[in-house]
Amino acid sequence: MAISKNQHLKMQEKRDRILEKAISLFSEQGYNDTTISKVAKASGISFGSVFTYFPSKEDLFHSAVIEPIEEINSIMLDFNPEAEDSLNELKIMVNSHINLFAKLSTYLQLVVQVIGQHSRFKDQFDELNFFHNEFCSKLALLLEKGQKKGQIRESDPIFAASAYFSLLMGLRLTMTDEIDEKFWGNFAPFALQLFGPISYTKSISRLAKPKAAYSNR
Amino acid sequence: MAISKNQHLKMQEKRDRILEKAISLFSEQGYNDTTISKVAKASGISFGSVFTYFPSKEDLFHSAVIEPIEEINSIMLDFNPEAEDSLNELKIMVNSHINLFAKLSTYLQLVVQVIGQHSRFKDQFDELNFFHNEFCSKLALLLEKGQKKGQIRESDPIFAASAYFSLLMGLRLTMTDEIDEKFWGNFAPFALQLFGPISYTKSISRLAKPKAAYSNR
Amino acid sequence: MAISKNQHLKMQEKRDRILEKAISLFSEQGYNDTTISKVAKASGISFGSVFTYFPSKEDLFHSAVIEPIEEINSIMLDFNPEAEDSLNELKIMVNSHINLFAKLSTYLQLVVQVIGQHSRFKDQFDELNFFHNEFCSKLALLLEKGQKKGQIRESDPIFAASAYFSLLMGLRLTMTDEIDEKFWGNFAPFALQLFGPISYTKSISRLAKPKAAYSNR
Amino acid sequence: MAISKNQHLKMQEKRDRILEKAISLFSEQGYNDTTISKVAKASGISFGSVFTYFPSKEDLFHSAVIEPIEEINSIMLDFNPEAEDSLNELKIMVNSHINLFAKLSTYLQLVVQVIGQHSRFKDQFDELNFFHNEFCSKLALLLEKGQKKGQIRESDPIFAASAYFSLLMGLRLTMTDEIDEKFWGNFAPFALQLFGPISYTKSISRLAKPKAAYSNR
DNA sequence: GATGAATGAGGCTTCATTCAT
DNA sequence: CATGAATGAAGCCTCATTCAT
């Protein structure tokens, strides 16, 4: 019993290792240039063993795209749409998102590929899109509340949410260097600006001062 | 002589057709899943003839990514950084960009792929990046002027330009459906908002009303 | 363990079979007309399996040319340059070489191709040339000794060795039919004659009588 | 009329130029690696024009191998089998042959390829072989006469002729460097030695002194 | 006759998947 | 369950030959 449990744990670890390396490789080299053999080598596992844990390359890719979603989404959705001080809630949310995107460079590159070739990766895209819609809807609620309270200017909340998400993805797409979190932080004010914060008007100049020089890319 | 000219024209046309189809296929199916055979079939020519016009698949891809840049860039850079009414210049520019991005769905999807896998497509990415830097620099000039005149709020102009470009790319990434230009128009106010327009404060609510329903994606 | 050893043996056998067939085909049909597919079929294995044993066609060719060298060279070099009776040593050596060349028809045809197109097969040629030089140097020692003892006439030993080697190669080139060893034996006296044997003068007429009719080629 | 003649001359020149370059390329790069395109470029002639002069690549190769034979053969056969002083005739012949082989490096490399792959180039080989037999027969006559006169030792004249031809080919095969005629001259005594010249016994030591150092190949 | 674009057969090589050990 | 050899489909590319101009 204990042995079996141990065995099970080891296998879980192995599976995780494969998946981690697969995400890395898929994101850097794309689907076709990532061969099973490369994944196996990177994972320190024999060639054939990959098929013990994932029935096919397609499945491995699917897992690589889908499995991390949940954790990420819980962070993305970690704000209170009913918050009294909507603007403050937005600020906190934006900072949290920026931090997240700064960290998840590798995985998000994979997401970009899936979105960029959504007809090729239809299944994966549909799942990503589901979460995207969920996110926009929830954020729209918060924005609506803020608008009602006069904390942010009127605008279509779904569009605003969508634009905000696009900005995050666009930043992730554009910031190709290994850029540290502080640098990313500089974009938080601009992201917030999208929502049209009213009391925020004055402070932008202060916040928007770069904390790190914009290295010439 | 006249015949040779005619011949030459026909070849140019054929080359254009191949390139057009290649852009289409590369953007939808990615580099690896776009086979030369598919491109040939789509262009209505024989397999081997593709190699008459492009020495290798690699070269075809390169041309597909690089050749359209110039025309696009001339539109992207078509604004006056010395304009007296900076804000107005920005508005016009944003609308022009939004229109451009709305139309170039196919090609830009290809650009997204190159950026998304910049280490794989290093050469192409470097060229794209060159234009990106050029664009940000020029836009920064306009923003600086607007800030001096008090038309837009203070913020680091390079960051602002970069955020703006990211938003455009992010929108292009996220708007996967065949969405018409009117719909895209709804995002113009948000894009402008990034720059922190001061006299613009009131009008956002008016402009930001959707001209088309946000289709369920 | 035993199984793995068995496995290993089987693979070795398979590799040997591929190489043998490859030598055969390369020597008869040349590099380009010998397709991997032909080699696979001749070896009774699948197309792709050839690549399990040899990374590329180029490598297969290289192995086909190089691997047999060592064994052949040990026979070629199997004479004593310090022998007291130089002439007798030469006679024995010549017979041994003639026997060798008579037997190795297939492989030597491959060698001929490599030498004949040394700029195309530079790597292989260089290795062959190394052995050629080694051989000529050693033979020259024996000839020098024989000359000092007055058993063979004076002449530049390196030239003589080189001429001897050329004769062997030339015979192998010219004798295209499947000619048996006895027939080859008839050329031994001529080969020896190259060295200018002195006490040998009389016997040539006896030895040089053909043991087999010169088949109409 | 005159124009047509001129035209005809020009075409003949063109054909010759193509053939010359083809021999060069075939001999250096082999049949398959010599493309029609390379031949055309080397000849300064358009791609398609090659087919005006030679119906197919196969034919071009055939011409490249066969057409030079006649001239060469007339030199090879330029000795008198009835000569009174057989030995002297042989000496002159050997020198002439050695000179010929020294000069024809390129073409003979092509001959080597044909012989080396006689089953692949059957037609060409058969023609070469015809000349080879003719040559051996004629030389055998001269040798027989010399033997009768006691100028050379007894041996089967056909074998001797064959060995002699093999030595020439072998030297051509082995001397891969661009070696000048003087160097080649050093091998003449060895060639003559094959026939077992009787009055020649003493002179070998003199003749066999190298006229040029045997460069370390 | 000269040119070079068009064609497609055929070669090498890669790689996901299967399966025996 | 782990391993890695076996397989063959599919892709890129070359090149002899044809043919329209």
Side-chain angles (χ1 to χ4, degrees):
Chain A
M1 243 338 229
I3 292 168
S4 148
K5 206 176 197 172
N6 202 2
Q7 176 83 359
H8 191 266
L9 262 177
K10 268 188 189 167
M11 288 186 64
Q12 187 59 43
E13 268 175 38
K14 235 181 215 180
R15 189 182 183 281
D16 289 349
R17 203 160 65 239
I18 295 172
L19 202 57
E20 185 195 343
K21 297 300 182 185
I23 290 173
S24 214
L25 286 165
F26 279 134
S27 100
E28 279 166 32
Q29 318 194 6
Y31 183 81
N32 281 280
D33 284 1
T34 299
T35 66
I36 296 288
S37 159
K38 282 181 187 171
V39 174
K41 212 163 286 173
S43 315
I45 272 172
S46 95
F47 180 65
S49 287
V50 176
F51 289 93
T52 305
Y53 296 92
F54 300 91
S56 75
K57 188 182 178 182
E58 194 77 27
D59 284 278
L60 176 59
F61 184 76
H62 191 82
S63 296
V65 176
I66 298 308
E67 295 194 10
I69 287 182
E70 199 155 1
E71 195 186 335
I72 288 168
N73 219 50
S74 80
I75 300 179
M76 286 298 286
L77 295 175
D78 184 24
F79 60 86
N80 178 16
E82 313 286 345
E84 280 313 303
D85 186 347
S86 312
L87 192 50
N88 193 48
E89 187 72 13
L90 278 173
K91 283 185 203 173
I92 295 168
M93 178 199 79
V94 165
N95 281 324
S96 153
H97 289 167
I98 289 277
N99 272 333
L100 184 67
F101 271 61
K103 275 179 201 149
L104 291 182
S105 152
T106 304
Y107 173 70
L108 288 171
Q109 205 173 339
L110 184 53
V111 171
V112 163
Q113 285 180 44
V114 170
I115 303 178
Q117 298 173 74
H118 52 273
S119 57
R120 206 178 150 207
F121 302 121
K122 185 149 193 346
D123 290 356
Q124 291 81 26
F125 174 71
D126 286 347
E127 292 219 34
L128 291 178
N129 205 32
F130 177 82
F131 283 108
H132 169 251
N133 287 335
E134 192 181 359
F135 170 73
C136 285
S137 304
K138 188 172 178 188
L139 177 53
L141 289 181
L142 177 57
L143 292 177
E144 229 163 336
K145 185 136 195 216
Q147 287 179 14
K148 271 183 197 147
K149 291 215 173 178
Q151 287 191 298
I152 57 178
R153 281 192 287 279
E154 299 258 323
S155 70
D156 184 280
I158 285 284
F159 275 82
S162 193
Y164 170 70
F165 186 80
S166 292
L167 176 58
L168 287 179
M169 287 305 296
L171 285 168
R172 184 61 276 172
L173 181 63
T174 312
M175 308 285 115
T176 50
D177 302 304
E178 298 297 334
I179 288 171
D180 67 6
E181 294 175 42
K182 272 190 187 156
F183 188 86
W184 267 82
N186 289 311
F187 289 101
F190 293 102
L192 197 58
Q193 185 72 1
L194 271 184
F195 303 128
I198 287 175
S199 65
Y200 191 63
T201 308
K202 292 257 166 69
S203 41
I204 187 173
S205 57
R206 182 162 38 83
L207 279 172
K209 277 179 196 156
K211 291 167 188 164
Y214 193 102
S215 70
N216 201 9
R217 291 184 320 106
Chain B
M1 197 62 171
I3 292 166
S4 151
K5 207 175 197 171
N6 198 11
Q7 174 88 355
H8 192 265
L9 264 177
K10 267 188 190 167
M11 287 186 67
Q12 189 59 47
E13 268 173 38
K14 208 175 257 188
R15 189 181 184 281
D16 290 348
R17 200 162 67 243
I18 297 171
L19 202 57
E20 185 195 342
K21 297 300 183 185
I23 290 173
S24 225
L25 287 164
F26 279 135
S27 98
E28 279 166 31
Q29 316 194 8
Y31 182 81
N32 282 282
D33 281 6
T34 299
T35 67
I36 295 285
S37 163
K38 282 180 187 172
V39 174
K41 217 162 280 174
S43 312
I45 61 167
S46 87
F47 177 71
S49 288
V50 176
F51 292 94
T52 304
Y53 295 90
F54 300 91
S56 73
K57 187 183 178 182
E58 193 89 21
D59 282 277
L60 176 58
F61 183 76
H62 191 81
S63 293
V65 175
I66 298 307
E67 295 193 11
I69 287 183
E70 199 156 1
E71 197 187 333
I72 288 168
N73 219 50
S74 80
I75 301 180
M76 287 297 286
L77 295 174
D78 185 23
F79 59 86
N80 178 15
E82 313 285 346
E84 280 312 304
D85 186 346
S86 312
L87 193 50
N88 192 48
E89 189 72 14
L90 279 173
K91 282 184 203 172
I92 296 168
M93 180 198 79
V94 167
N95 281 323
S96 155
H97 289 166
I98 290 278
N99 272 331
L100 185 68
F101 271 63
K103 276 179 199 147
L104 292 181
S105 143
T106 304
Y107 173 69
L108 289 169
Q109 205 172 339
L110 184 53
V111 171
V112 163
Q113 285 178 45
V114 170
I115 303 177
Q117 296 174 77
H118 52 273
S119 57
R120 213 178 144 205
F121 304 121
K122 185 149 192 346
D123 289 355
Q124 292 80 25
F125 174 70
D126 286 346
E127 291 218 35
L128 292 178
N129 207 32
F130 178 82
F131 284 108
H132 170 251
N133 287 336
E134 195 182 356
F135 171 73
C136 285
S137 302
K138 189 173 178 187
L139 177 52
L141 289 180
L142 177 57
L143 294 177
E144 230 163 333
K145 185 137 196 220
Q147 288 178 14
K148 272 182 196 148
K149 291 217 171 176
Q151 287 190 298
I152 57 179
R153 280 191 286 279
E154 298 259 323
S155 69
D156 185 278
I158 286 283
F159 275 82
S162 192
Y164 170 69
F165 186 81
S166 292
L167 176 58
L168 288 179
M169 288 305 297
L171 285 167
R172 183 63 276 173
L173 180 64
T174 313
M175 307 286 115
T176 50
D177 303 303
E178 298 297 334
I179 289 171
D180 67 8
E181 294 174 42
K182 273 189 186 155
F183 186 85
W184 266 82
N186 289 312
F187 289 102
F190 292 103
L192 197 58
Q193 186 69 5
L194 270 184
F195 303 128
I198 287 174
S199 66
Y200 192 63
T201 308
K202 291 258 166 66
S203 41
I204 189 173
S205 58
R206 183 161 38 79
L207 279 172
K209 276 180 194 156
K211 292 169 189 161
Y214 194 102
S215 71
N216 200 9
R217 295 183 319 103
Chain C
M1 197 61 171
I3 292 167
S4 149
K5 209 176 199 171
N6 198 10
Q7 174 88 355
H8 192 265
L9 264 177
K10 268 188 190 169
M11 287 187 68
Q12 188 60 46
E13 270 172 37
K14 207 176 257 187
R15 188 181 183 281
D16 290 348
R17 201 163 65 241
I18 296 172
L19 202 56
E20 185 195 342
K21 298 299 181 185
I23 290 174
S24 225
L25 287 164
F26 278 134
S27 98
E28 279 165 31
Q29 317 195 6
Y31 183 81
N32 282 282
D33 280 8
T34 299
T35 67
I36 295 285
S37 163
K38 283 179 187 172
V39 175
K41 215 161 284 172
S43 313
I45 60 168
S46 89
F47 178 70
S49 288
V50 176
F51 291 93
T52 304
Y53 295 89
F54 300 92
S56 73
K57 187 183 177 182
E58 193 89 20
D59 283 276
L60 176 57
F61 183 76
H62 191 82
S63 294
V65 175
I66 298 307
E67 295 195 9
I69 287 184
E70 200 155 1
E71 197 186 332
I72 288 169
N73 219 51
S74 80
I75 300 179
M76 286 298 287
L77 295 174
D78 185 22
F79 60 86
N80 178 15
E82 314 284 346
E84 281 312 302
D85 186 347
S86 311
L87 192 51
N88 192 49
E89 188 73 13
L90 278 173
K91 281 185 203 173
I92 295 169
M93 178 199 80
V94 167
N95 282 322
S96 154
H97 289 168
I98 290 279
N99 272 332
L100 185 68
F101 271 62
K103 275 181 201 147
L104 291 181
S105 145
T106 304
Y107 172 69
L108 288 170
Q109 205 173 339
L110 184 52
V111 171
V112 164
Q113 286 179 45
V114 170
I115 303 178
Q117 297 174 77
H118 52 272
S119 58
R120 211 178 146 207
F121 302 121
K122 185 151 193 345
D123 289 356
Q124 291 80 26
F125 174 71
D126 286 347
E127 292 219 34
L128 291 178
N129 207 33
F130 178 82
F131 284 109
H132 170 251
N133 288 336
E134 195 181 356
F135 171 72
C136 285
S137 303
K138 189 173 178 188
L139 178 52
L141 289 180
L142 179 56
L143 294 177
E144 230 162 335
K145 186 138 195 218
Q147 289 177 14
K148 272 183 197 149
K149 292 214 173 176
Q151 288 190 297
I152 57 179
R153 280 190 287 279
E154 299 259 322
S155 70
D156 186 278
I158 285 283
F159 275 82
S162 193
Y164 170 71
F165 187 81
S166 292
L167 176 58
L168 288 179
M169 288 305 297
L171 285 168
R172 183 63 276 172
L173 181 63
T174 312
M175 309 285 115
T176 51
D177 303 301
E178 296 297 335
I179 289 172
D180 67 7
E181 293 174 43
K182 273 190 186 153
F183 187 85
W184 267 82
N186 289 312
F187 289 101
F190 293 101
L192 197 58
Q193 187 70 4
L194 271 183
F195 302 128
I198 286 174
S199 65
Y200 192 61
T201 309
K202 292 253 166 73
S203 42
I204 186 172
S205 56
R206 184 162 37 82
L207 279 171
K209 277 182 194 153
K211 292 169 188 160
Y214 194 102
S215 70
N216 200 10
R217 292 183 321 103
Chain D
M1 240 341 225
I3 292 169
S4 149
K5 207 176 197 172
N6 202 3
Q7 176 82 1
H8 191 265
L9 263 177
K10 266 188 190 167
M11 287 185 65
Q12 188 58 44
E13 268 175 39
K14 234 180 215 181
R15 189 181 182 284
D16 289 348
R17 204 160 64 240
I18 295 172
L19 202 56
E20 185 194 343
K21 297 300 182 185
I23 290 173
S24 213
L25 288 164
F26 278 134
S27 100
E28 278 166 32
Q29 316 194 6
Y31 182 81
N32 281 278
D33 284 1
T34 298
T35 67
I36 296 287
S37 160
K38 282 181 186 171
V39 174
K41 211 163 286 171
S43 314
I45 272 174
S46 93
F47 178 67
S49 288
V50 176
F51 289 94
T52 305
Y53 297 92
F54 300 91
S56 75
K57 187 183 179 182
E58 194 78 26
D59 283 279
L60 176 58
F61 184 76
H62 192 80
S63 295
V65 175
I66 298 307
E67 295 195 9
I69 286 183
E70 200 156 0
E71 197 186 334
I72 288 168
N73 220 49
S74 80
I75 301 180
M76 288 295 288
L77 296 175
D78 185 22
F79 59 87
N80 178 14
E82 313 287 347
E84 280 313 303
D85 185 347
S86 312
L87 192 50
N88 193 48
E89 188 71 14
L90 279 173
K91 283 185 201 172
I92 295 168
M93 179 199 79
V94 166
N95 281 325
S96 155
H97 289 168
I98 290 276
N99 272 333
L100 185 68
F101 271 63
K103 276 179 199 147
L104 290 182
S105 150
T106 304
Y107 173 70
L108 288 171
Q109 205 172 341
L110 184 52
V111 171
V112 163
Q113 283 178 47
V114 171
I115 304 178
Q117 298 173 73
H118 52 272
S119 58
R120 208 179 149 205
F121 302 122
K122 187 150 191 346
D123 290 355
Q124 293 79 26
F125 174 71
D126 285 346
E127 293 218 34
L128 291 178
N129 207 31
F130 178 81
F131 284 107
H132 170 250
N133 287 336
E134 194 182 357
F135 170 74
C136 285
S137 303
K138 188 172 178 187
L139 177 52
L141 289 181
L142 178 56
L143 293 177
E144 230 162 336
K145 187 138 195 216
Q147 288 179 13
K148 272 183 197 148
K149 291 215 174 177
Q151 287 190 300
I152 57 177
R153 282 190 288 279
E154 299 257 323
S155 69
D156 185 279
I158 285 284
F159 274 82
S162 192
Y164 170 69
F165 186 81
S166 292
L167 176 59
L168 288 179
M169 288 303 298
L171 285 168
R172 184 63 276 173
L173 181 63
T174 312
M175 308 285 115
T176 51
D177 302 303
E178 297 298 335
I179 289 172
D180 66 7
E181 294 175 41
K182 273 189 187 156
F183 188 86
W184 268 82
N186 289 311
F187 289 101
F190 293 102
L192 197 57
Q193 185 72 3
L194 269 184
F195 303 129
I198 287 175
S199 67
Y200 192 62
T201 310
K202 293 256 166 70
S203 42
I204 188 173
S205 57
R206 182 164 37 84
L207 281 171
K209 276 180 195 156
K211 294 168 188 161
Y214 194 104
S215 70
N216 202 9
R217 295 184 319 105

